[in-house]
């Protein structure tokens, strides 16, 4: 069976299907009945990526010489987990969107943006060379603009302007980083880059540019301004993929481009750790003052991504810590993606949920269980993620981190309490639209 899978995935077409399937589906969207067909098939085209995440042999790389400057596809252990979780989020959000009235208002525009963004997001995770990665990263970034401005009101258009401005800044920084690193490494393939053979000055410049360029997507402190605007502006399904799947593109890029596990940069690492820790507290302090539920979740993402950024800082500070830090970073990213996407879909259910009804009970579960995970409650994925961060931080022996890390969980608890109270289902007798079956099904998929 393993030999059959290896032989099958050694061809280019299974990898290209991950990118091509969503793009081909966009071709029928503008037609009269094409939008309805595309809506039903949108979840399905995420499944090839999920299949590769489950079945791809570890370490398999496939070259496609005729694509761009010679594309290479593959997934390592870290990439498989992020690809699988991202594909699952896209699948569940696609199911949810079938019954989402906000997405249905401009169905053609929504699905054109949704499908192209999916192709870029899932494709960049399997890309193993700079040119393909950057191309798909740019496709994802600019196509997602359509989801941000979906409502076409004044607030969403303003959010779109901020988003696209920050996106262009990030793209320029990322492209600059790749040009510098490609020059000093003399290769465009990630697996062939060796930091020990690069010019130290150019390596440092390229790494700093990569940290900043990809930091826009992750929402690093100072580069996070688009998040509290874009997340509330999008439809619930769009918010789920923005905050659950697309945000991990920055982590994938960091792991490819930064000399993690190869060099020791204590100063740079300490700065990154400091920025991550500051973001963890900043997101809480600002988030608890918000009056819109999705804004609270946006600042929660700033806080949680700050914690994830700390793994990168630890890996830059001590190369011998990266083996532990990379496992923690990828697990943390997967945990956050599932929890945050579920919260966005749960928030989208609230308009059709009444206290005591079945939909109300499901809505409460979709709000409470992921919130408990983010607060690192016992027996949740968040507790394991925070333990991984604690284990990785032991390599740099910081008394300050030992004190401050537990405090971040307290802050997250306050933030999640604020969010849950804002989105709790209506009391009995309150008027509410009925929750549709796709909305329920999409939420249940992630909740389980």
């Amino acid at each position: 069976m393993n030999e059959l899978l290896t032989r099958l995935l050694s061809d280019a077409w299974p990898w290209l299907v991950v990118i091509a399937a969503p793009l081909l589906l966009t071709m029928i969207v503008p037609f009269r009945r094409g939008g309805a067909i595309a809506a039903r098939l949108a979840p399905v085209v995420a499944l090839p990526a999920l299949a590769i995440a489950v079945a791809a042999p570890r370490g398999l790389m496939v070259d496609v010489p005729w694509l761009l400057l010679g594309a290479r596809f593959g997934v390592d252990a870290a990439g498989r987990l992020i690809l699988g979780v991202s594909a699952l989020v896209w699948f569940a959000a696609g199911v949810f969107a079938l019954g989402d009235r906000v997405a249905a208002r401009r169905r053609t525009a929504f699905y054109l943006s949704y499908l192209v963004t999916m192709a870029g997001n899932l494709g960049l995770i399997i890309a193993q060379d700079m040119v393909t990665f950057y191309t798909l990263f740019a496709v994802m970034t600019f196509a997602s603009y359509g989801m941000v401005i979906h409502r076409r009101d004044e607030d969403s258009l303003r959010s779109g302007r901020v988003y696209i401005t920050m996106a262009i800044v990030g793209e320029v920084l990322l492209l600059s980083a790749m040009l510098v690193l490609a020059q000093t490494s003399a290769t465009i393939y990630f697996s062939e880059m060796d930091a020990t053979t690069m010019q130290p000055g150019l390596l440092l410049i390229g790494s700093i540019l990569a940290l900043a360029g990809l930091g826009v997507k992750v929402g690093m402190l100072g580069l996070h301004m688009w998040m509290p605007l874009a997340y509330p502006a999008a439809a619930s399904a769009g918010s789920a993929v923005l905050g659950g799947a697309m945000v991990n593109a920055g982590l994938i890029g960091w792991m490819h481009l930064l000399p993690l596990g190869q060099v020791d940069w204590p100063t740079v690492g300490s700065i990154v750790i400091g920025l991550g820790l500051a973001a963890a507290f900043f997101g809480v302090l600002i988030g608890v003052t918000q009056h819109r539920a999705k804004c609270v979740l946006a600042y929660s993402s700033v806080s949680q991504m700050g914690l994830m950024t700390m793994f990168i800082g630890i890996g830059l500070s001590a190369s011998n810590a990266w083996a532990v830090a990379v496992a923690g970073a990828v697990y943390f990213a997967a945990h956050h993606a599932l929890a945050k996407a579920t919260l966005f879909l749960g928030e989208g259910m609230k308009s059709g949920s009444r206290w005591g009804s079945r939909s109300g009970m499901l809505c409460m579960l979709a709000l409470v269980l992921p919130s408990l995970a983010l607060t690192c409650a016992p027996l949740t994925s968040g507790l394991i993620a925070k333990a991984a961060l604690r284990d990785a931080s032991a390599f740099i022996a910081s008394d300050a981190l030992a004190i401050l890390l537990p405090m971040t969980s307290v802050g997250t608890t306050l933030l999640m309490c604020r969010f849950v109270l804002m989105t709790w289902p209506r009391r009995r007798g309150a008027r509410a639209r009925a929750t549709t079956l796709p909305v329920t099904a999409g939420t249940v998929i992630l909740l389980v």
Side-chain angles (χ1 to χ4, degrees):
M1 186 65 177
N2 290 336
E3 293 181 2
L4 178 61
L5 288 173
T6 301
R7 191 178 305 114
L8 178 65
L9 293 174
S10 295
D11 291 331
W13 70 265
W15 304 89
L16 293 175
V17 165
V18 173
I19 305 168
L23 294 180
L24 290 174
L25 191 55
T26 62
M27 297 176 66
I28 69 171
V29 173
F31 293 99
R32 183 177 180 182
R33 297 184 179 178
I37 297 173
R40 295 186 180 92
L41 294 179
V44 178
V45 293
L47 295 180
L50 187 59
I52 284 180
V54 173
R58 182 178 299 181
L60 177 65
M61 298 288 174
V62 177
D63 290 318
V64 187
W66 52 266
L67 184 63
L68 299 176
L69 297 183
R72 178 176 293 174
F73 297 105
V75 284
D76 54 13
R80 285 179 65 174
L81 181 57
I82 293 181
L83 178 63
V85 168
S86 299
L88 185 60
V89 170
W90 280 102
F91 176 78
V95 173
F96 185 99
L98 281 170
D100 185 13
R101 295 177 178 84
V102 177
R105 289 174 189 168
R106 296 178 178 86
R107 185 169 59 187
T108 298
F110 176 81
Y111 280 102
L112 284 174
S113 176
Y114 184 88
L115 291 167
V116 176
T117 304
M118 183 198 300
N121 181 222
L122 298 179
L124 69 86
I125 300 174
I126 62 175
Q128 297 296 321
D129 66 279
M130 291 187 188
V131 176
T132 307
F133 179 90
Y134 178 78
T135 301
L136 294 170
F137 191 93
V139 167
M140 176 193 72
T141 298
F142 292 112
S144 59
Y145 171 76
M147 289 193 289
V148 175
I149 64 167
H150 175 72
R151 298 176 190 269
R152 302 296 198 276
D153 55 20
E154 184 178 349
D155 287 342
S156 64
L157 294 175
R158 174 175 172 270
S159 300
R161 288 194 296 270
V162 175
Y163 172 80
I164 203 67
T165 300
M166 294 298 299
I168 291 172
V169 171
E171 294 293 323
V172 170
L173 291 172
L174 177 58
L175 180 59
S176 301
M178 288 185 166
L179 291 173
V180 171
L181 292 173
Q183 178 184 352
T184 187
S185 64
T187 183
I188 63 171
Y189 299 106
F190 298 131
S191 60
E192 297 174 6
M193 295 174 64
D194 184 358
T196 60
T197 63
M198 300 182 193
Q199 298 180 35
L202 290 178
L203 176 61
L204 179 60
I205 292 171
S207 298
I208 292 174
L209 290 170
L211 274 169
L214 294 163
V216 173
K217 193 63 64 187
V218 172
M220 285 184 69
L221 189 63
L223 301 171
H224 68 280
M225 293 81 75
W226 64 273
M227 277 186 172
L229 297 173
Y231 287 5
S236 295
S239 299
V241 295
L242 282 168
M246 290 171 54
V247 73
N248 289 334
L251 174 63
I252 288 288
W254 278 342
M255 291 194 298
H256 284 322
L257 297 175
L258 299 180
L260 298 162
Q262 300 182 56
V263 299
D264 293 323
W265 283 343
T267 302
V268 176
S270 297
I271 293 173
V272 174
I273 292 171
L275 287 172
L277 195 59
F281 287 105
F282 172 83
V284 171
L285 291 174
I286 304 301
V288 294
T289 66
Q290 300 303 303
H291 299 285
R292 299 173 66 184
K294 284 188 177 183
C295 284
V296 176
L297 288 183
Y299 279 106
S300 169
S301 290
V302 173
S303 179
Q304 294 295 305
M305 289 298 100
L307 295 175
M308 191 188 73
T309 302
M310 293 177 65
F311 284 105
I312 302 299
I314 292 168
L316 290 172
S317 296
S319 57
N320 62 337
W322 182 237
V324 176
V326 65
V330 172
Y331 182 84
F332 192 99
H335 139 78
H336 174 264
L338 290 173
K340 191 55 59 70
T342 306
L343 288 173
F344 276 117
L345 297 189
E347 191 276 339
M349 283 189 66
K350 69 178 183 179
S351 63
S353 302
R354 291 188 181 92
W355 181 278
S357 66
R358 290 183 180 180
S359 61
M361 294 296 293
L362 177 61
C363 183
M364 286 187 282
L365 285 174
L367 298 175
V368 172
L369 293 184
S371 295
L372 288 174
L374 291 178
T375 62
C376 305
L379 303 179
T380 66
S381 58
L383 184 64
I384 302 173
K386 184 59 72 70
L389 181 55
R390 182 194 61 218
D391 293 342
S393 64
F395 283 85
I396 57 175
S398 170
D399 293 334
L401 281 182
I403 297 172
L404 294 174
L405 274 181
M407 294 177 62
T408 61
S409 296
V410 177
T412 303
T413 302
L414 294 174
L415 194 59
M416 288 298 98
C417 286
R418 169 71 171 166
F419 168 74
V420 170
L421 290 174
M422 293 175 68
T423 52
W424 204 247
R426 302 165 185 260
R427 295 284 180 178
R428 285 185 182 275
R431 292 184 178 180
R433 294 177 179 177
T435 301
T436 60
L437 179 60
V439 166
T440 302
T443 307
V444 168
I445 290 168
L446 289 186
L447 183 60
V448 171

